[in-house]
């Protein structure tokens, strides 16, 4: 193994460390913004507030850094492979075949171990939702409108980062009258607040747009907060749902706090 080759590997390693450090910093900023928006969601309504634009920029940076990390990792693998002794062809084949099952067993664990602590925590949080009801967008991103339903989490795959969920009460217009399963990416899922902990739920102020379960259904629609649950010292919100007009006005409907979540950016209804 020559010194120049070793130098190239060391340079790539330093670059990988730099990218991961920068990635940690970006994720730290994302987490700070998340906490800010969870505790004071009304801040985005204030003139001049750029929280959402800042969050979008941070997500873009995190995506670019993640792709850069993958590219440098692949380069390091190629550099190291080029320096490994090849050995007899038969010996190499036996070594590969003998390690194949071991590689399969440790693939998921090694992939997760390379993630940042923040990403690992996010995956663990998703996995902990098994058996719970969540809000899920079941339509693709290019659909004319978004459809959100209450579903039950069956499984979360940490490797593919996909949820397997069950729609336990499909509507009458569904093709099948039975229960329906979906495989959905992380971005299509919003956890509900804990039913036994009202204080953990966001305190959406009057006038705030939210996504909420329409009373008597398992579908979620865009609504406007009329009265928050904390100001009324109850566990219910008073909401006005879009397109819910009766006799020329929007009726005010009561919805439990644990069936109300933030309205996703770019929601189409």
């Amino acid at each position: 193994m020559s010194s120049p080759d070793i130098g190239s590997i060391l340079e790539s390693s330093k670059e990988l460390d730099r990218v991961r450090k920068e990635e940690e910093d970006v994720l730290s900023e994302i987490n700070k913004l998340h906490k800010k928006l969870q505790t004071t969601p009304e801040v985005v309504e204030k003139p001049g507030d750029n929280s959402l634009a800042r969050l979008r920029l941070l997500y873009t940076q995190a995506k670019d850094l993640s792709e850069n990390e993958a590219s440098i990792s692949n380069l390091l693998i190629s550099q190291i492979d080029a320096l490994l002794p090849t050995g007899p062809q038969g010996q190499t084949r036996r070594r590969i075949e003998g390690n194949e099952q071991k590689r399969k067993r440790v693939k998921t664990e090694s992939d997760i171990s390379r993630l940042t602590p923040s990403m690992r925590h996010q995956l663990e949080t998703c996995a902990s939702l098994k058996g719970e009801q969540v809000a899920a967008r079941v339509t693709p991103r290019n659909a004319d409108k978004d459809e959100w339903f209450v579903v039950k989490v069956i499984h979360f795959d940490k490797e593919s980062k996909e949820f397997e969920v069950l729609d336990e009460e499909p509507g009458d217009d569904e093709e099948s009258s039975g229960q329906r399963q979906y495989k959905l990416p992380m971005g299509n899922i919003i956890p509900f607040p804990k039913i036994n902990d009202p204080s953990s739920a966001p305190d959406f102020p009057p006038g705030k747009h939210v996504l909420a379960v329409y009373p008597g259904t398992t579908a979620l629609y865009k609504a406007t907060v009329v009265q928050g649950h904390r100001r009324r010292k109850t566990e219910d919100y008073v909401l006005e749902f879009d397109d819910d007009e009766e006799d020329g006005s929007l009726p005010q409907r009561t919805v439990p706090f644990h069936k109300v979540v933030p309205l996703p950016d770019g929601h189409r209804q």
Side-chain angles (χ1 to χ4, degrees):
M1 187 183 297
S2 62
S3 297
D5 291 332
I6 297 175
S8 298
I9 292 175
L10 293 177
E11 286 298 321
S12 298
S13 299
K14 290 179 181 178
E15 179 66 10
L16 184 61
D17 289 339
R18 185 195 64 79
V19 169
R20 285 179 171 172
K21 176 61 170 62
E22 189 174 348
E23 194 173 25
E24 287 277 6
D25 293 340
V26 170
L27 290 173
S28 177
E29 290 297 316
I30 289 175
N31 287 335
K32 289 178 183 178
L33 261 180
H34 281 174
K35 290 180 181 179
K36 175 184 175 182
L37 295 176
Q38 287 173 353
T39 55
T40 56
E42 66 276 7
V43 72
V44 298
E45 303 288 344
K46 296 180 179 179
D49 181 78
N50 66 343
S51 298
L52 294 179
R54 173 66 176 161
L55 189 60
R56 187 182 188 281
L57 176 63
L58 288 170
Y59 274 127
T60 302
Q61 291 177 342
K63 176 177 176 292
D64 292 342
L65 287 169
S66 179
E67 292 173 351
N68 194 13
E69 180 185 355
S71 298
I72 298 172
S73 297
N74 288 333
L75 174 61
L76 272 166
I77 292 172
S78 299
Q79 290 174 327
I80 294 173
D81 283 347
L83 296 176
L84 288 174
T86 55
Q89 184 177 2
Q91 179 181 348
T92 303
R93 184 183 302 114
R94 286 194 298 273
R95 183 172 65 249
I96 293 174
E97 292 173 350
N99 289 333
E100 186 67 24
Q101 291 303 316
K102 181 179 178 182
R103 288 197 185 108
K104 290 180 179 179
R105 286 196 303 271
V106 303
K107 183 178 186 300
T108 301
E109 288 79 359
S110 62
D111 286 346
I112 293 174
S113 67
R114 288 196 296 268
L115 297 175
T116 63
S118 177
M119 287 182 170
R120 286 200 298 270
H121 175 71
Q122 186 177 10
L123 293 179
E124 291 298 333
T125 300
C126 290
S128 70
L129 294 173
K130 182 178 180 180
E132 294 190 17
Q133 287 189 332
V134 297
R137 187 183 72 227
V138 299
T139 47
R141 288 191 177 276
N142 59 355
D144 293 334
K145 65 177 183 178
D146 298 333
E147 294 184 2
W148 288 81
F149 297 129
V150 178
V151 299
K152 181 180 180 180
V153 176
I154 300 174
H155 177 67
F156 176 71
D157 190 323
K158 293 181 181 179
E159 185 176 356
S160 65
K161 299 180 179 60
E162 282 188 331
F163 282 92
E164 185 176 348
V165 300
L166 177 66
D167 184 0
E168 299 178 286
E169 300 180 27
D172 296 334
D173 58 343
E174 295 285 348
E175 296 180 0
S176 173
S177 59
Q179 298 177 336
R180 188 170 180 178
Q181 292 190 18
Y182 298 91
K183 282 191 175 182
L184 302 172
M186 294 169 59
N188 285 38
I189 300 294
I190 303 178
F192 286 118
K194 299 295 183 183
I195 189 172
N196 58 352
D197 188 8
S199 64
S200 67
D203 186 18
F204 299 116
K208 181 71 174 178
H209 296 310
V210 296
L211 197 66
V213 179
Y214 190 86
T217 75
T218 57
L220 292 93
Y221 299 98
K222 180 182 177 182
T224 303
V225 176
V226 178
Q227 291 183 357
H229 71 99
R230 293 182 188 173
R231 288 178 174 83
R232 299 175 65 236
K233 297 183 179 180
T234 70
E235 296 185 357
D236 299 326
Y237 277 99
V238 176
L239 306 176
E240 290 179 350
F241 285 88
D242 287 16
D243 305 322
D244 190 30
E245 188 173 327
E246 290 184 1
D247 300 325
S249 63
L250 294 176
Q252 297 182 356
R253 304 192 184 276
T254 301
V255 179
F257 77 92
H258 59 274
K259 297 297 184 183
V260 181
V261 297
L263 183 71
D265 291 338
H267 175 74
R268 301 181 298 271
Q269 182 168 306

